[in-house]
Amino acid sequence: MTVLVRSLETAVPSTVLKQPEARDVFAAQEGLTRLGRRLVTTCFDAAAIDTRYSALAEFSWDRPDHDPDFFDPSTGRLLTPSTKTRNDVFVREATPLFTDTARRALDNADGIAPADVTHVVTVSCTGFFNPGPDYRIVRDLGLSPSVQRFHLGFMGCYAAFPALRMAKAFCDADPNAVVLVALVELCTLHVRSSNDPDTILGASLFADGAAAAVVTARDLPLTRPAVSLDAFETTLTPVGEENMAWNIGDQGFEMVLGTYVPHIIDEHITGALEPLLARDPSLVGRPHAEIEHWAIHPGGRSIVDKVVARLGLSERQGAPAYETLREFGNMSSATIMFVLERILALPEAEADDAGSPPRASGSPEAGPDSPGAERICAMAFGPGLTVETALMTRRLP
């Protein structure tokens, strides 16, 4: 029995943040020291990001607000709203992102109807409300009121992996299950001006985004590229607990993203991958670059740099992570879904040019070791320091 992600949809809010403009705003804030301004310039310029997206219309120069909460365009000042004010915006802006993205994922899951959904799993670490997004999806999409609902909150950038692992477990237990997974992160609600290097680094990276997927083991023909969920593993590095954290403060959530994180990942990524690769004997002892696709969470450019260099990956294998980072920034848990979407969209010829053997048929029951099966190794990093990894297989119609 093969558990497949049969549809995957992503979305971003409408406000565009151009990295050079955002850099100049943050560098001009009152209270910054000379070192703080230098750190802002360095972090923003080194982030390898061109554009990010925000749910805050106040961040647009084209929409001046007469009573702003987050940003006053008349003065260029970043304001300091309370946690409640920030969370109120989350409730208002995250809800339609959850429901609209989930609806598109369901609409594009051929052979699946709303009445077929048995489980809903929602994910976010950037806001809270109850009845929550799981409830809204059931109500707004007209799902059965008996749908089992689960919400994974405050796990951080790696949370897509527990969500997909949960979906796989439901489908393994019941081959008729249909799981709708939805993730929304509005990280820009919590940006602030500061001289603290961790806060500056977070401000240079984080963005808003949403994703949704339909996961099932139902025996249905493939009509579009899909991903089978083959195996998952979780590892805690022996160091790094104080280097990556996500706390609730009086003026929003406070990100701790230490500059030493890429070095920790560099030292421990090969060990973290060992238990995952051991799940498939054909991968044990092989060079990492022989796995066709790598879905790396782009927590920052230096993180992707370290993973690519340590594992000996090619420019092509690192491209989905780098391109996602450049176009969207770090959208916390939703980001890896953007990377997977990019891998799913790769043209068939590109993989053939990379030297892959002839492809297997589009049968969803074809095993990951079938001739031509395209393996994906995925990973994300978060508080703890937690390393979540997954083996997947790209399947074409």
Side-chain angles (χ1 to χ4, degrees):
M1 183 175 67
T2 303
V3 178
L4 290 177
V5 176
R6 285 196 165 265
S7 66
L8 173 58
E9 297 293 326
T10 61
V12 291
S14 59
T15 300
V16 181
L17 304 179
K18 296 180 180 179
Q19 190 76 345
E21 294 178 1
R23 175 202 62 208
D24 293 346
V25 167
F26 274 83
Q29 295 306 300
E30 295 180 0
L32 282 181
T33 63
R34 189 186 319 179
L35 175 59
R37 287 191 176 87
R38 190 158 64 242
L39 285 173
V40 167
T41 300
T42 299
C43 288
F44 277 72
D45 287 348
I49 295 171
D50 291 341
T51 53
R52 293 181 279 167
Y53 294 83
S54 175
L56 289 167
E58 290 184 26
F59 284 163
S60 172
W61 293 101
D62 299 329
R63 295 185 57 178
D65 197 311
H66 297 295
D67 189 20
D69 290 313
F70 291 81
F71 176 65
D72 184 351
S74 66
T75 63
R77 283 188 58 227
L78 290 166
L79 308 178
T80 54
S82 68
T83 301
K84 180 184 186 306
T85 297
R86 297 174 195 259
N87 197 69
D88 287 347
V89 176
F90 178 86
V91 175
R92 184 182 74 237
E93 300 294 337
T95 298
L97 282 169
F98 270 112
T99 57
D100 293 349
T101 312
R103 181 178 289 107
R104 285 197 292 113
L106 193 54
D107 288 345
N108 289 320
D110 293 337
I112 300 294
D116 295 321
V117 176
T118 58
H119 302 73
V120 170
V121 180
T122 54
V123 178
S124 188
C125 69
T126 49
F128 300 94
F129 61 101
N130 201 8
D134 51 314
Y135 171 89
R136 293 299 347 158
I137 287 172
V138 170
R139 288 301 194 200
D140 292 0
L141 273 62
L143 307 184
S144 169
S146 64
V147 166
Q148 297 182 39
R149 298 180 284 120
F150 303 86
H151 181 72
L152 301 180
F154 225 67
M155 298 185 78
C157 292
Y158 63 80
F161 288 79
L164 292 174
R165 185 170 56 235
M166 182 183 291
K168 175 175 167 57
F170 292 146
C171 295
D172 285 338
D174 177 6
N176 200 46
V178 174
V179 186
L180 181 55
V181 178
L183 313 91
V184 173
E185 301 289 8
L186 304 185
C187 304
T188 65
L189 301 186
H190 303 287
V191 299
R192 71 200 69 225
S193 177
S194 173
N195 286 298
D196 177 69
D198 290 351
T199 303
I200 292 172
L201 182 59
S204 73
L205 293 172
F206 282 100
D208 301 350
V214 172
V215 180
T216 186
R218 290 190 177 188
D219 186 11
L220 297 168
L222 286 181
T223 58
R224 66 187 68 227
V227 172
S228 66
L229 303 177
D230 303 330
F232 293 86
E233 290 290 343
T234 301
T235 302
L236 294 177
T237 62
V239 295
E241 180 178 351
E242 70 284 358
N243 294 101
M244 190 180 292
W246 190 227
N247 303 306
I248 298 177
D250 292 335
Q251 296 174 340
F253 300 168
E254 300 169 352
M255 165 57 70
V256 176
L257 185 60
T259 56
Y260 196 63
V261 167
H263 301 283
I264 297 173
I265 293 172
D266 183 36
E267 292 173 5
H268 297 285
I269 188 59
T270 54
L273 284 172
E274 286 177 1
L276 178 74
L277 300 181
R279 301 284 293 273
D280 184 343
S282 71
L283 298 178
V284 176
R286 289 172 55 185
H288 293 100
E290 290 187 7
I291 297 176
E292 289 87 347
H293 304 293
W294 287 81
I296 305 165
H297 169 68
R301 189 193 70 178
S302 57
I303 288 176
V304 184
D305 286 347
K306 294 291 187 183
V307 172
V308 168
R310 175 62 66 176
L311 301 182
L313 305 183
S314 68
E315 180 179 348
R316 177 185 64 83
Q317 289 167 315
Y322 283 117
E323 291 169 1
T324 299
L325 181 67
R326 185 180 70 252
E327 295 177 18
F328 300 102
N330 182 346
M331 300 165 286
S332 192
S333 68
T335 319
I336 196 66
M337 306 298 275
F338 282 69
V339 178
L340 285 171
E341 182 182 48
R342 197 172 290 267
I343 291 173
L344 277 174
L346 287 173
E348 185 172 350
E350 181 169 339
D352 288 339
D353 291 344
S356 297
R359 276 191 179 74
S361 70
S363 168
E365 295 304 320
D369 56 349
S370 301
E374 296 178 38
R375 300 309 298 274
I376 303 170
C377 189
M379 65 186 71
F381 321 98
L385 199 155
T386 302
V387 182
E388 288 280 354
T389 56
L391 273 178
M392 306 175 183
T393 305
R394 184 172 92 138
R395 303 186 182 279
L396 301 178

